[in-house]
């Protein structure tokens, strides 16, 4: 039969899937080798399907297109697949690997034994499978269970795909709801936004529209209102003024009259809380109330340490460390020995680490059991290095078990006398509430942090609110000590914190530079050049391990996505000796610097951990990432959505870390996010060298704004009220 010519008029093609060349689970895109009806030759078909199995029968509507390399291809606009009827198709289908326990050999035997009835035999009379040579009870049970599961998945995947849901999301839905998936979607598709990571309100709303849910349906209005509150929480707010919530819900939903009654309905069903003029998600209100109650209890008690002569203790610790403490530092140590709860706050170079080390040495000599923690793995590691004592992440200390379950809580408290939490500006309200509730009776608490850094990624401004309430004993350190004062990184950070643009004049011996570039393309070119060659050559830095690019956002030319692509190409280009794998829109290559983006307690890697890809196995595909010197973690392809390239990080992701050299783009392209705490946090991540590249106007704009401080929270008010509740 002659090869078909290109056609512009759509035609319908039927036949058998010979094999699956490629299938993208995310969008259903597939390249198939097919045998059309009435032909014996194999040709290519391009289309979309939720899942494809060799041996399936297909019906496709589309056009033939010529291809110079592969010959004519049928491009399908619509593609339907179903289980085969022909014996050859059935054998191919069963032997495709879809059903556990059946390979090509057993597929052939079963079709020879049962013919076209084989599907019915597997499902309803599986005992008969034992009549097939080599099939015993164990294999028979395995085959039937796999068949039932695959049949269920196939039906659900088909249903979801018909309603515009990608295969990867369909699999998540199936893993969450199992056999109930279709029933859940038909009853209330908005549950998806509540139950499944990666599916938000807008996706659920699209699905609901496909399923015929009315625009003014109560479940849609309620889901939209909750989405407004959850979006606010994602932006750091613990509550939202009710008028603001209503306005945002109207913009989102396109309806107005039903919003207020549904807010009342959500409050009646305990899904929302109203306090004065604010709406809260109940878990955030409960978190702030818990923090306030625990802080009030701790702050009301004096220290209960064994008798300590403060003067003698200070003299002893200065002799032991060989460091003379300034008056302000000595006052901080005295306060820590007097109070059950104390906050020590201040910027870089003010001696927080020296004070903390002195306090710990004194109390350690009195046999006080010390427990040290920080919000992230990198911050905990820094705390260990600076004190010489073991520090854990708060999640590990509290024995987080996933799914909101904790091993340590009020009923099973932690063990220890003095608890020290560093980098406290990063701690959000739910985590602080969990930590405080797990403190044992008689515990002392020392909170250390820089309140001028960016607040937590999660909801709340805990450190800021605790200090602003004036209800918690607090030592505010402002004196920059001599050695630190010689660093322009530190003096520039303090200038920015005061709302001043720092001195940008270049000095050859400086550790802080500003390179003027106006256009985003020029900024990006200079930034990549600095990371690739200029800084490495001049300062002897390893471009991948020592240099870190920090940027305000993920999108745009100067966002993490674009910068990571350019930096990867410059610092770790592809070559035939390096294995690589493309997954979730990112190419991962041996040698890449990567960051873990979710807590994974099975692998013991946590959000913010930075590692390097050391090997990629080809068959089966496995990616091996080294974290620190001795931790090697293995990822399968489906788990790579937990990793991102880390040549460029968002400034939020960098909190709690220090890097030998930091490069920061400063552009009006980022004007929405540019603000003082952001630039201050980025600069203070640099230990030895900081280079800003960009527009001086953008830096001036950032220094003049303090947007991150504008969060709606209730903690300060709770602390200032008489009851603390």
């Amino acid at each position: 039969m002659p090869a078909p010519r290109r056609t512009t008029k759509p035609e319908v093609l039927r036949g058998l899937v010979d094999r699956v060349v490629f299938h993208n689970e995310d969008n259903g895109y597939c390249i198939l080798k097919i045998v059309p009806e009435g032909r014996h030759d194999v040709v290519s078909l391009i289309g979309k399907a939720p899942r494809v199995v060799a041996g399936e029968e297909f019906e496709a509507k589309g056009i033939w297109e010529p291809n110079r390399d592969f010959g004519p291809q049928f491009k399908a606009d619509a593609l339907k697949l179903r289980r085969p009827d022909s014996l050859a198709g059935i054998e191919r289908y069963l032997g495709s690997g879809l059903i556990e326990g059946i390979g090509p050999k057993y597929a052939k035997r079963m079709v020879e034994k049962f013919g076209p009835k084989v599907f019915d035999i597997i499902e309803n009379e599986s005992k008969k499978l034992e009549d097939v040579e080599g099939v015993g009870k164990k294999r028979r049970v395995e085959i039937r269970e796999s068949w039932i599961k695959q049949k269920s998945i196939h039906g659900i995947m088909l249903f979801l795909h018909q309603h515009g849901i990608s295969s990867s999301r369909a699999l998540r839905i199936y893993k969450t709801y199992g056999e109930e998936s279709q029933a859940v979607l038909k009853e209330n598709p908005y549950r998806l936004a509540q139950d499944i990571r990666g599916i938000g309100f807008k996706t659920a709303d699209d699905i609901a529209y496909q399923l015929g849910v009315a625009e003014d349906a109560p479940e849609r209005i309620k889901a939209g209102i909750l989405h407004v509150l959850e979006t606010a929480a994602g932006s750091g707010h613990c509550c939202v003024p009710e008028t603001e919530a209503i306005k945002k819900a109207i913009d989102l939903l396109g309806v107005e009259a039903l919003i207020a009654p549904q807010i009342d309905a959500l409050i009646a069903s305990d899904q929302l809380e109203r306090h004065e003029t604010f709406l809260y998600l109940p878990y955030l209100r409960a978190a702030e109330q818990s923090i306030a109650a625990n802080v009030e209890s701790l702050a009301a008690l004096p220290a209960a340490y064994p008798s300590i002569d403060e003067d003698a203790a200070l003299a002893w610790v200065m002799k032991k460390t060989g460091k003379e403490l300034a008056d302000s530092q000595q006052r901080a140590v005295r306060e820590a020995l007097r109070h059950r709860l104390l906050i020590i706050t201040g910027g870089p170079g003010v001696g927080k680490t020296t004070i903390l080390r002195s306090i710990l040495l004194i109390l350690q000599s009195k046999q006080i059991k010390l427990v040290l923690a920080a919000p992230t793995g990198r911050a905990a590691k820094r705390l260990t290095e600076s004190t010489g004592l073991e520090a854990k992440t708060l999640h590990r200390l509290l024995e987080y078990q996933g799914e909101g379950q904790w091993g340590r809580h009020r009923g099973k408290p932690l063990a220890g006398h003095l608890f020290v939490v560093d980098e406290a500006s990063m701690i959000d309200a739910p985590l602080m509430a969990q930590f405080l509730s797990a403190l044992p009776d008689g515990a002392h608490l020392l909170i250390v942090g820089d309140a001028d850094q960016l607040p937590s990624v999660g909801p709340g401004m805990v450190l800021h609110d605790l200090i602003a309430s004036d209800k918690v004993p607090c030592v505010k350190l402002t004196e920059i000590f001599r050695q630190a004062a010689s660093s322009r990184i530190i003096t520039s950070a303090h200038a920015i914190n005061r709302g001043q643009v720092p001195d940008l004049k270049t000095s050859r011996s400086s550790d802080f530079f500003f390179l003027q570039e106006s256009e985003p393309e020029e900024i990006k070119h200079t930034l990549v050049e600095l990371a690739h060659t200029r800084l490495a050559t001049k300062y002897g830095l390893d471009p991948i391990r020592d240099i870190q690019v920090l940027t305000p956002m993920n999108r745009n030319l100067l966002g993490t996505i674009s910068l990571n692509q350019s930096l990867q190409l410059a610092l770790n280009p592809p070559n035939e000796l390096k294995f690589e794998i493309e997954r979730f829109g990112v190419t991962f290559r041996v040698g890449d610097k990567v960051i873990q983006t979710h807590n994974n307690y099975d692998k013991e890697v946590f959000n913010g951990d930075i590692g390097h890809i050391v090997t990629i196995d080809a068959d089966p595909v496995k990616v091996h990432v080294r974290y620190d010197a001795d931790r090697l973690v293995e990822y399968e392809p489906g788990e790579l959505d937990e990793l991102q390239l880390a040549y460029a990080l968002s400034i939020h992701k960098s909190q709690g870390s220090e890097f030998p050299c930091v490069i920061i783009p400063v552009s009006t392209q980022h004007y929405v996010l540019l603000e003082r705490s952001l630039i201050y946090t980025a600069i203070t991540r640099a230990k030895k060298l900081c280079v800003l590249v960009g527009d001086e106007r953008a830096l001036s704009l950032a220094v003049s704004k303090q947007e991150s401080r504008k969060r709606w929270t209730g903690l300060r008010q709770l602390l200032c009220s008489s009851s603390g509740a």
Side-chain angles (χ1 to χ4, degrees), residues 177 189-197 199-201 204 222-223 226-227 230 271:
Y177 303 122
Y190 295 99
R191 275 186 60 184
L192 298 178
Q194 301 290 321
D195 298 343
I196 302 176
R197 182 173 64 83
I199 296 184
F201 170 81
K222 287 177 184 175
L226 291 173
H227 175 70
E230 286 154 4
Q271 291 174 273

Side-chain angles (χ1 to χ4, degrees), residues 675-725:
E675 57 97 33
R676 190 183 306 167
S677 294
L678 194 84
I679 298 297
Y680 173 80
T681 299
I683 290 172
T684 55
R685 300 309 90 206
K687 281 198 290 188
K688 296 178 181 177
L689 184 65
C690 180
V691 183
L692 274 61
V693 184
D695 189 340
E696 194 172 330
R697 292 172 305 163
L699 180 61
S700 180
L701 174 69
V703 170
S704 67
K705 282 171 62 183
Q706 269 289 46
E707 293 301 316
S708 70
R709 301 291 173 81
K710 296 176 182 176
R711 285 190 171 187
W712 289 308
T713 67
L715 180 57
R716 181 179 177 183
Q717 183 183 17
L718 285 165
L719 288 163
C720 292
S721 67
S722 57
S723 64

Side-chain angles (χ1 to χ4, degrees), residues 478-532:
T478 56
E479 181 183 355
I480 305 175
F481 291 99
R482 187 169 52 198
Q483 186 177 352
S486 65
S487 165
R488 281 186 59 195
I489 292 174
I490 289 174
T491 56
S492 298
H494 282 274
I496 287 169
N497 205 23
R498 293 191 299 269
Q500 301 166 355
V501 175
D503 181 4
L504 302 180
K505 291 195 295 290
T506 300
S507 167
R508 294 183 70 84
S509 61
S510 178
D511 57 2
F512 177 85
F513 296 92
F514 186 93
L515 303 184
Q516 176 70 36
E517 298 285 2
S518 298
E519 297 302 319
E521 293 83 0
E522 295 168 351
I523 295 172
K524 183 177 181 180
H525 174 77
T526 300
L527 185 151
V528 172
E529 193 179 55
L530 284 166
H532 185 213

